[in-house]
Amino acid sequence: VVTGRAHARLKRLETEFEIEPLGRVHAGEGFQVAAPVAKVGGSLQALPGYQVYEYQLVLVLPENLKDKLRKVKLQFFEQFNLPTVASMAILLPLVKFKQRQLLEQKLRHSLNQLIMGWRPFTVNLKDYASQPSHSIYIPVTSKNKLQDCVRSLKTMQQLMRLDKDQQAFFPAEHQVVVASRLKPGVYEKAWQVY
């Protein structure tokens, strides 16, 4: 069983750089943003502020917990002779969505207001689980608090919706991925061990 206290952070997917603190986040943690995911053709995309970015709100886990999880990942990669991933990021996503850059300030302000009301809570991770044929992960056993966070985030869905067709994605199961996109032979060997 691995336990740690968590806080939230918003980031644009791709590279990261710090913007401003988020609610009750400890020093060194905060909003994270990056370059646009992809610009879709059309004149609207060329206008300033109308670029589409992909965002992900994640829980920021304490460094000691991240270190333990990185060791588990490295041990897995070494044990099964897999190439290590350049980024060994340990993420616990709450929501993933696309939005125009024009609404980023409003989105950050609204998220900041919502998340300031959250109290830090304990995150418990226990055992291993798998998604058949390709992934091994560590499930979160303290689901109630995460579900409360997701429920409060769902009240802001209108800000997380690019258009009618592109809704925000809220994971049903919270987990920390150890390895994903495994080839069938590697997955079967690994799942027997884990």
Side-chain angles (χ1 to χ4, degrees):
V1 177
V2 183
T3 303
R5 306 215 21 105
H7 302 279
R9 132 183 124 187
L10 176 71
K11 69 179 225 173
R12 271 193 226 155
L13 299 180
E14 296 295 314
T15 56
E16 303 177 9
F17 59 93
E18 196 164 315
I19 294 292
E20 62 185 52
L22 171 67
R24 297 178 181 173
V25 177
H26 296 303
E29 301 167 349
F31 284 111
Q32 301 292 319
V33 300
V37 172
K39 295 183 180 178
V40 181
S43 60
L44 189 60
Q45 291 292 317
L47 295 173
Y50 285 91
Q51 295 86 6
V52 174
Y53 292 92
E54 187 170 5
Y55 295 88
Q56 182 173 22
L57 184 68
V58 299
L59 284 181
V60 176
L61 300 172
E63 282 304 315
N64 62 349
L65 181 58
K66 284 184 190 178
D67 290 340
K68 288 179 184 178
L69 293 169
R70 275 190 204 101
K71 286 177 186 176
V72 168
K73 279 186 162 190
L74 283 172
Q75 179 184 5
F76 182 89
F77 286 115
E78 289 171 3
Q79 186 174 0
F80 296 100
N81 296 325
L82 299 172
T84 56
V85 183
S87 169
M88 292 295 283
I90 306 296
L91 301 175
L92 195 55
L94 294 174
V95 62
K96 193 174 186 178
F97 59 95
K98 292 182 180 180
Q99 190 51 274
R100 298 198 187 283
Q101 191 249 341
L102 192 66
L103 293 174
E104 185 173 307
Q105 287 289 27
K106 185 176 183 178
L107 180 66
R108 284 194 295 144
H109 177 72
S110 297
L111 281 171
N112 195 11
Q113 294 297 313
L114 178 73
I115 293 171
M116 272 202 312
W118 295 356
R119 291 187 173 185
F121 57 90
T122 302
V123 173
N124 298 315
L125 305 170
K126 185 176 181 181
D127 296 331
Y128 293 92
S130 72
Q131 293 176 346
S133 77
H134 63 81
S135 295
I136 295 177
Y137 61 90
I138 304 171
V140 175
T141 58
S142 53
K143 296 178 183 180
N144 291 341
K145 189 59 182 170
L146 285 172
Q147 289 171 346
D148 291 342
C149 293
V150 168
R151 200 173 299 119
S152 67
L153 285 169
K154 285 185 177 181
T155 63
M156 297 181 47
Q157 274 186 319
Q158 72 279 4
L159 283 176
M160 298 180 204
R161 185 178 315 143
L162 182 61
D163 55 34
K164 289 186 235 176
D165 299 328
Q166 296 186 22
Q167 303 283 336
F169 172 72
F170 295 91
E173 293 291 320
H174 298 282
Q175 60 200 18
V176 175
V177 176
V178 174
S180 61
R181 299 184 195 113
L182 295 172
K183 294 179 181 173
V186 175
Y187 167 79
E188 290 162 5
K189 287 179 194 174
W191 187 234
Q192 289 174 0
V193 174
Y194 283 84

